[in-house]
Every structure is written in structure tokens, then in C-alpha cells.
Amino acid sequence: MSHASPTLYLVCGKVAAGKSTLTARLGTRPGTVLIAEDTWLEALFADRLKSIPDYVECAAKLRGIMGTHVADLLAAGVSVVLDFPANTVETRGWMRSILDRTAARHELHVLDVPDEVCLARLQSRNAAGNHPFAVTEAQFRQITRHYAPPSPEEGFNLVLQEHGAFG
């Protein structure tokens, strides 16, 4: 059964901040579907994802098709949890373009987690081997340089998660 007023749930946070843990929890809400970037990237491009530039290229291709799909789900009355990192102004612009095509409500969950906590979680995640992509500390630092928390001017409804999805 669909919601009368669907919601697009978005997440912003550094690598290993707890975005996928939070989105998994949000995705259990009635009338809600979870769409996880990592799942789609692994299925479509696992053989091509060897570096950060590979990720950037493949993620852009995925966003190219996924935006219309997400807008269609929202228009059909289905809430969507988008487990794609809303970590740059550019990516949030793409997310805003989805919202602009619908009458859906939205929440942008911001996971404010210190680097040292993210790195500890990342080390545990890599050791467990239960995530499709292992990220090194050097890659974490490279990716984090591009991280830009949302500004009020972007117009998102922010939900602050000070300890990530674990707190």
C-alpha cells in the first residue's frame, strides 16, 4: 500500500559514518523502498570499480538512469530511501532535481561523525568483508576532501544524526 504523501529520504555523511545502517532502518517503513548505490554499482560495474575515478564515472551513469526511476516511484505514492551519498553540492543538486519533478516530501539525514570514528568503523567493515567495496585509509582521506555538508541555502529539510546511525 502506498503513502498518500510519499517521502524521499536522503543521507549525507562520510565513508563509514553509518549511512547504510540508517537507510536500512528507514527502508523498513511501510510503503517504502530502499535503493542502495553500492548494491547497484556492484551488480552493474564491479569489474570496472578499481579506483575513485572509476567510482565517479560509474556513479554518474547510475544517477543518470536512477533519477527518473526514483521520481516515478515517488509519483506513484511510494516513499524512497536513497542510499546514495548526498556528500557534495553536485550530488545534492541531482537529488533536488528528483524532488523538483514530484510533490514528495523529503528528509536529508546528516550523519555528523568524527573522522576517527569513521576510520575505526571502516577498519572493522573491511576486516569483516561484508561490504562490497573495501576502502583504504588513504582513499577515505581522499574522498573526505570532497565532503561538503549541506548549507541552509540548498533548501533541504535536515535531520541531524550526531552519532550516526549507531548513536
Side-chain angles (χ1 to χ4, degrees):
M1 195 65 159
S2 65
H3 286 101
S5 183
T7 301
L8 178 60
Y9 298 95
L10 308 167
V11 289
C12 177
K14 297 172 187 169
V15 173
K19 295 182 299 296
S20 293
T21 300
L22 174 61
T23 58
R25 192 167 69 223
L26 292 170
T28 64
R29 294 177 176 188
T32 303
V33 64
L34 169 63
I35 301 176
E37 180 187 60
D38 286 343
T39 302
W40 283 82
L41 287 175
E42 181 183 29
L44 295 173
F45 304 113
D47 57 327
R48 296 185 46 205
L49 290 170
K50 307 296 182 210
S51 67
I52 293 172
D54 294 341
Y55 163 77
V56 170
E57 177 186 340
C58 293
K61 286 183 179 188
L62 183 58
R63 284 193 308 269
I65 187 63
M66 200 54 72
T68 300
H69 179 59
V70 171
D72 288 347
L73 288 168
L74 292 165
V78 176
S79 289
V80 176
V81 178
L82 200 55
D83 186 2
F84 283 55
N87 291 349
T88 65
V89 172
E90 177 188 17
T91 303
R92 289 189 298 273
W94 167 71
M95 294 169 172
R96 171 60 64 196
S97 76
I98 295 170
L99 287 166
D100 289 347
R101 289 183 257 171
T102 74
R105 297 178 304 132
H106 76 277
E107 296 178 2
L108 174 52
H109 292 258
V110 180
L111 289 82
D112 186 13
V113 180
D115 287 3
E116 59 272 10
V117 174
C118 291
L119 283 166
R121 291 178 184 169
L122 181 60
Q123 186 177 26
S124 296
R125 184 173 87 183
N126 288 346
N130 56 4
H131 192 275
F133 306 107
V135 176
T136 67
E137 182 174 342
Q139 289 170 325
F140 170 87
R141 299 220 182 269
Q142 183 179 356
I143 293 165
T144 300
R145 282 199 297 271
H146 299 281
Y147 176 79
S151 68
E153 296 78 33
E154 292 177 80
F156 286 99
N157 300 324
L158 302 181
V159 179
L160 184 60
Q161 306 279 343
E162 290 189 30
H163 302 287
F166 305 99

